[in-house]
Amino acid sequence: MIALLFDIIGMTGTFLVVGSFFLLQLGKTSPTSLMYNMMNLTGAILLLISLCYNFNLASFVIEIFWIAASLIGLYKYVKNRRAVTAS
């Protein structure tokens, strides 16, 4: 039962990460948008949680980098929003 829960968490993360990429390729979002970066961040975190049950070092490392890239994107999004509202 616990394995199923971690599989559901991992698959949800996968759908978020892959879904954000598909939305980007379809022109429905941009790489600087809040939605794109939040979907990637949430997906990577969920995948990292799923790795607590079935650990895989390579997957763990890529999810850490994915989280870092998403946080950089979110930082830039907030920074740009502040610059626009300050103008």
Side-chain angles (χ1 to χ4, degrees), residues 22-44:
F22 270 105
L23 289 173
L24 182 65
Q25 295 305 310
L26 294 171
K28 303 293 183 187
T29 189
S30 76
T32 58
S33 73
L34 179 62
M35 180 176 70
Y36 177 76
N37 285 292
M38 286 302 295
M39 285 177 72
N40 274 310
L41 177 62
T42 305

Side-chain angles (χ1 to χ4, degrees), residues 30-57:
S30 76
T32 58
S33 73
L34 179 62
M35 180 176 70
Y36 177 76
N37 285 292
M38 286 302 295
M39 285 177 72
N40 274 310
L41 177 62
T42 305
I45 289 170
L46 291 175
L47 283 162
L48 204 60
I49 291 169
S50 76
L51 288 172
C52 292
Y53 187 76
N54 284 324
F55 186 76
N56 178 301
L57 182 59

